[in-house]
């Protein structure tokens, strides 16, 4: 149904007043439990509101009274991705402890969409913004009319000093590379997501650091970047495995790419070793070696920084780093 179809329009206070046979002002006073409204009139107005399905705009009411919104906005990647849903869960539970509510939106890894959502949330008077930046600079968030705390998650802001909660991306990727090198591998493929994002660049650099330290330049011909989902990961890894000298090991830089790798490797009698960044549900069951980190802690810490700013903290920007550690489960321990 189109948005302007009368059938989907929300009932208005004017309709409630008309049905109850009172003035607009009386209807408003009755629904807001203000004094000097006759008991019978109040009952009639509430019955009309119930019949029409009318609900008070709590935000507008609080703002008119000089109050503030209890909403905090989270702009992230696709919440269908278990990583972002776990982050959002950590945010929501921490905010709830402080009487705040979470509203979320997906930036689709698009810079223009991110900026649009920032403006949308500001129009709704959120108390703070939590942002997983989609790439490009975040200088636009330094403008004077932002007026609310901004905390960055997973990826640091570029061109702006602000509170951030990050994963030890470089350290985790370096641990994965060192693990595969220690297992005797040299032809090691790195399959990475969007290289324009800071988190992916950090994982690539952490991996490269370990390779340089080991004097292994052979991995560079197996580097594949901007592989953004499980389907493209299947394609990229499938192509790598058809090379004359295919890689004997794979490192995938997020859970979706690891899923694509598992689909390609399923049923192979001698699959390459595999280490994935991000733990995921059933990874222990299928024996997938991963670089794990606490995703809910990422959200919880970001919400805590935002609440501190809301509560009056005016100190310098703080950065919290969530540790990452390798969990061997079998797939990363296959010999070349």
């Amino acid at each position: 149904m189109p948005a302007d179809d009368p059938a989907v329009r929300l009932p208005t206070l004017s309709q409630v007043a008309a049905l109850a046979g009172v003035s607009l002002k009386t209807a408003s006073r009755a629904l807001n439990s203000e004094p000097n409204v006759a008991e019978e009139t109040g009952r009639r107005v509430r019955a009309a509101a119930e019949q029409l399905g009318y609900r008070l705009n709590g935000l507008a009411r609080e703002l008119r009274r000089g109050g503030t919104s209890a909403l905090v906005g989270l702009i992230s990647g696709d919440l269908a991705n278990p990583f972002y849903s776990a982050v959002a869960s950590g945010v929501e539970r921490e905010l709830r402890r402080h009487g705040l509510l979470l509203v979320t939106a997906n930036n689709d890894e698009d810079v223009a969409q991110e900026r649009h959502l920032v403006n949308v949330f500001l129009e709704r008077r959120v108390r703070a913004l939590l942002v997983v930046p989609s790439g490009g600079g975040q200088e636009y968030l330094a403008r004077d009319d932002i007026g609310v705390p901004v905390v960055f998650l997973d990826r640091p802001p570029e061109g702006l000093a602000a509170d951030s909660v990050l994963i030890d991306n470089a350290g985790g990727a370096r641990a994965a590379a060192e693990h595969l090198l220690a297992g005797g591998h040299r032809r090691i493929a790195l399959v990475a997501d969007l290289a324009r994002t800071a988190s992916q660049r950090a994982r690539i650099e952490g991996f490269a650091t370990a390779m340089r330290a080991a004097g292994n330049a052979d991995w560079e011909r197996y580097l594949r970047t901007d592989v953004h989902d499980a389907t493209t990961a299947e394609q990229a890894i499938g192509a790598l495995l058809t090379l004359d000298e295919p890689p004997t090991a794979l490192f995938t830089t997020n859970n979706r790419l690891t899923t694509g790798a598992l689909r390609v490797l399923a049923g192979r009698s001698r699959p390459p070793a595999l280490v994935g960044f991000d733990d995921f549900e059933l990874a222990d069951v299928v024996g997938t070696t991963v670089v794990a980190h606490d995703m809910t802690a990422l959200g919880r810490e970001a919400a805590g920084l935002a609440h501190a700013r809301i509560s009056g903290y005016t100190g310098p920007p703080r950065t919290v780093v969530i540790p990452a550690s390798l969990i061997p489960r079998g797939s990363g321990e296959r010999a070349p």
Side-chain angles (χ1 to χ4, degrees):
M1 231 179 245
D4 59 353
D5 191 310
V8 297
R9 288 180 185 165
L10 294 174
T12 66
L13 184 59
S14 296
Q15 291 172 319
V16 173
L19 183 59
V22 300
S23 69
L24 187 63
K25 183 176 181 179
T26 298
S28 175
R29 290 171 58 196
L31 291 175
N32 282 289
S33 301
E34 294 181 13
N36 302 320
V37 176
E39 186 176 341
E40 173 56 30
T41 301
R43 279 199 298 267
R44 200 163 67 248
V45 170
R46 288 190 293 274
E50 183 67 27
Q51 181 179 333
L52 293 172
Y54 175 81
R55 294 292 181 269
L56 285 170
N57 185 333
L59 173 59
R61 180 179 59 192
E62 289 302 312
L63 293 175
R64 282 196 302 271
R65 292 176 175 176
T68 55
S69 163
L71 303 179
V72 172
L74 168 63
I75 300 172
S76 73
D78 188 358
L79 287 172
N81 183 335
F83 172 81
Y84 290 118
S85 58
V87 169
S89 175
V91 171
E92 193 276 332
R93 292 183 183 190
E94 180 64 18
L95 292 179
R96 194 193 314 160
R97 292 180 56 241
H98 305 293
L100 297 168
L101 297 173
L102 176 66
V103 287
T104 63
N106 177 10
N107 62 22
D108 290 321
E109 299 290 0
D110 181 84
V111 175
Q113 176 71 352
E114 175 190 308
R115 296 189 180 199
H116 168 70
L117 290 171
V118 165
N119 289 327
V120 168
F121 279 150
L122 291 176
E123 288 173 1
R124 281 154 179 76
R125 307 289 185 89
V126 294
R127 297 290 299 281
L129 283 170
L130 307 179
V131 181
V132 179
S134 55
Q138 278 69 54
E139 301 93 339
Y140 73 98
L141 285 168
R143 67 182 198 248
D144 292 337
D145 64 332
I146 293 294
V148 299
V150 182
V151 178
F152 291 89
L153 300 85
D154 186 39
R155 306 164 185 171
E158 297 181 25
L160 177 69
D163 293 330
S164 303
V165 184
L166 312 174
I167 299 164
D168 184 10
N169 292 301
R174 186 171 60 250
E178 290 170 349
H179 187 72
L180 293 171
L181 288 165
H185 295 278
R186 288 299 179 269
R187 300 200 308 267
I188 306 173
L190 171 58
V191 182
D193 203 333
L194 301 176
R196 61 182 167 81
T197 64
S199 57
Q200 291 294 306
R201 290 199 304 271
R203 293 174 193 181
I204 293 169
E205 182 54 33
F207 189 90
T209 297
M211 292 297 155
R212 287 194 294 265
N216 179 39
D218 205 31
W219 75 277
E220 293 187 36
R221 59 184 169 131
Y222 301 111
L223 172 64
R224 300 293 184 271
T225 63
D226 300 321
V227 182
H228 189 47
D229 54 31
T231 300
T232 52
E234 287 183 65
Q235 296 166 351
I237 293 167
L240 282 166
L241 296 181
T242 64
L243 296 174
D244 291 339
E245 291 185 297
T248 64
L250 304 169
F251 174 51
T252 48
T253 61
N254 67 31
N255 55 359
R256 291 180 300 182
L257 308 189
T258 305
T259 298
L262 289 171
R263 289 174 181 165
V264 173
L265 303 184
R268 288 179 176 259
S269 58
R270 296 188 62 188
L274 170 65
V275 178
F277 206 107
D278 300 333
D279 204 357
F280 58 94
E281 191 173 5
L282 298 181
D284 56 334
V285 175
V286 297
T288 304
T289 298
V290 298
V291 175
H293 49 85
D294 191 336
M295 293 173 277
T296 56
L298 185 71
R300 185 173 64 249
E301 293 288 346
L305 291 177
H307 179 255
R309 293 286 179 185
I310 291 170
S311 300
Y313 174 74
T314 58
R318 294 178 289 182
T319 298
V320 176
V321 178
I322 304 298
S325 58
L326 188 133
I327 303 177
R329 292 183 175 135
S331 69
E333 291 66 56
R334 299 174 186 137

